Amino acid sequence: MSELVRSIMDEDGDEDVTEICLPNVKATVLQKVIEFCEHHKREPMTRIGKPLNSPSMADVVQKWYADYVDVEKAVLFELISAANYMDIQALLDLTCATVASMIKEETPERIRTMFNITNTFTPEEEAQVREENKWCEEA
């Protein structure tokens, strides 16, 4: 369950809460969040190991969960935002791991293209950053 929703219900002290305002979550995204929570209650997700052992989510979690996050990037980022806002750790872990799997073994240039990120570094600054973080590429 969402820790945000749980805390709202606890504060109210009323088991019969019929309405909870979630202004930061679109209705379509909330439907996906509810779908996740209902499934997670029936079949808890396998713990996601760190670092990821595969760039394929199908190798990391059960099929249903891998299929669940096989969505457009915009939807994935809305799910991350909703999971963070609503404090649903399992959903946040799944969606963030999905993004991590997308960039695993990708070059910085490819990641910039994938996520439409503009490189604001000069060639000299980029060379300096690469030198300072050479250990990342060696791992």
Side-chain angles (χ1 to χ4, degrees):
M1 177 192 255
S2 163
E3 292 302 318
L4 173 68
V5 172
R6 180 173 294 156
S7 69
I8 290 170
M9 292 177 71
D10 288 347
E11 284 175 10
D12 192 27
D14 184 1
E15 293 287 326
D16 298 326
V17 174
T18 58
E19 186 176 307
I20 296 175
C21 186
L22 299 170
N24 296 346
V25 183
K26 294 179 184 175
T28 54
V29 175
L30 183 57
Q31 287 176 323
K32 293 272 300 168
V33 170
I34 291 169
E35 177 187 2
F36 174 88
C37 291
E38 288 174 344
H39 186 84
H40 190 267
K41 185 176 181 179
R42 287 190 309 276
E43 179 192 358
M45 183 176 66
T46 304
R47 187 179 162 281
I48 298 173
K50 297 174 186 107
L52 291 177
N53 59 5
S54 171
S56 170
M57 289 307 292
D59 296 333
V60 177
V61 293
Q62 300 99 308
K63 181 180 180 343
W64 187 92
Y65 292 101
D67 291 345
Y68 177 84
V69 290
D70 187 15
V71 294
E72 294 179 13
K73 279 186 269 191
V75 174
L76 182 61
F77 287 115
E78 287 182 3
L79 285 169
I80 290 172
S81 181
N84 186 50
Y85 174 70
M86 295 178 69
D87 197 4
I88 306 173
Q89 192 61 52
L91 180 56
L92 188 60
D93 290 346
L94 176 64
T95 51
C96 288
T98 301
V99 173
S101 73
M102 292 167 68
I103 64 173
K104 189 174 180 72
E105 301 174 5
E106 293 289 350
T107 65
E109 293 77 19
R110 176 76 178 117
I111 294 168
R112 282 189 205 105
T113 302
M114 288 170 65
F115 297 105
N116 198 23
I117 299 169
T118 304
N119 183 4
T120 58
F121 289 121
T122 65
E124 295 79 21
E125 290 171 329
E126 188 167 344
Q128 180 183 353
V129 169
R130 285 182 189 273
E131 182 61 32
E132 290 171 357
N133 295 285
K134 194 183 291 187
W135 62 270
C136 292
E137 295 176 12
E138 294 169 358

